[in-house]
Every structure is written in C-alpha cells, then in structure tokens.
Amino acid sequence: MTDPTITDLRRELEKARLALIDAQSHLSAHAQANAALHCATEVFYSPLHAKVTAAIAGIEHALARTDRPLPTLDSQSSDGVWAALAADLDRCMHGRHQGDACGDCGGTSTGNHHIRPGTVIGYGLRGDRIVMPDRDHKLEPAAWRATPEGDTP
Ligand SMILES: [Zn+2]
C-alpha cells in the first residue's frame, strides 16, 4: 500500500515520461534528418534534446525512489498498524479510497459516508477537536488535530 498522493504523482510522472520519450524520439529524428540534409558525417543533437533527456532521467530517478511502501504503513510496527487503520477511514463501502476508481460508486469512490473530511470525530485532552482530515493529509497525525477553518484552538 502506498500513500494515494504518491500514487497519483507517480501516475502523472509516468505520463510525462512517456510524452518526453516521444518528444526525444522526434528531436532525434529531426537532428538525424538535418545531418542527412546537410550531408554531415556527424549528427548534432539540439540543447532541447539534452534537456528532454535529462528530464526523462530525473523522472526515472524519482519513480525509482518512490517505488516502495511508505514506512508509516509498515505492518510490522504498531505505528504502521494504526497508520493503516487511519488510512482506511476514507474508503467507501466497496473498499476503495475516496477519489479512486470504484465502479460500484458510479466511477469514482465517494469515500466514507459516515465521516466526511472536516467532520469532528472526537476531542483531545484539552477539548481540542479531532477531525477527519482530507485525503491528502490523512497520514499526517497533526492533520487529525486541525481545527476547522476560521476557528481558534
Ligand atoms: Zn465505492
């Protein structure tokens, strides 16, 4: 299991990587055609070709770095068990995280109808509110203690 934000970012990076590979292919063919047009013995690739190549390498490095489970969801530690439980609280009744694909919800998971993001679900020792955080912050313990906008703690 991975943080849905990282999953989303990885998916978008993969799309960008594929588009850049196509751009790199076009730029390579263009440089080779120019060399042939001018009867040159060497192909000179453009600075843009170098930038695109570097961007592809950067994306591949980022994808490799994020291709492992988050330590907070490690089921071997008690913290990981609680983090996994908290991460499950936005799932719809069909088991899909809010915003993920769910055919039973009509295409996109509508999430947990019992506790919507921003709902107060309890109180801390000093009366501070415990709220259901939004999808992007559900793995940050501080987000569960956030007060509603405009409210002073
Ligand atoms: Zn669903």
Side-chain angles (χ1 to χ4, degrees):
M1 177 189 273
T2 59
D3 183 328
T5 303
I6 291 177
T7 302
D8 291 348
L9 292 172
R10 287 178 51 82
R11 184 176 50 245
E12 295 306 314
L13 277 176
E14 183 60 24
K15 287 184 207 171
R17 187 181 76 85
L18 293 175
L20 287 170
I21 287 172
D22 288 343
Q24 183 188 43
S25 175
H26 169 78
L27 292 169
S28 293
H30 191 261
Q32 290 165 1
N34 265 345
L37 178 67
H38 298 285
C39 300
T41 56
E42 283 185 69
V43 177
F44 291 99
Y45 294 96
S46 67
L48 181 58
H49 180 274
K51 284 183 178 180
V52 168
T53 301
I56 292 169
I59 287 173
E60 287 174 348
H61 180 69
L63 288 172
R65 281 181 44 214
T66 57
D67 191 20
R68 64 183 77 105
L70 292 176
T72 54
L73 295 179
D74 175 12
S75 60
Q76 300 302 310
S77 75
S78 62
D79 286 353
V81 172
W82 287 109
L85 176 68
D88 281 346
L89 287 176
D90 77 336
R91 291 185 188 271
C92 66
M93 66 177 66
H94 316 107
R96 305 289 176 261
H97 287 291
Q98 183 174 4
D100 286 354
C102 179
D104 293 322
C105 281
T108 303
S109 169
T110 55
N112 184 345
H113 294 280
H114 303 287
I115 45 174
R116 308 307 264 161
T119 303
V120 176
I121 59 172
Y123 299 92
L125 182 63
R126 294 177 185 85
D128 50 310
R129 297 174 185 184
I130 300 172
V131 293
M132 180 67 185
D134 62 55
R135 160 191 173 122
D136 293 336
H137 300 94
K138 67 183 179 183
L139 295 180
E140 299 169 17
W144 291 79
R145 299 271 183 194
T147 56
E149 203 169 283
D151 195 18
T152 50

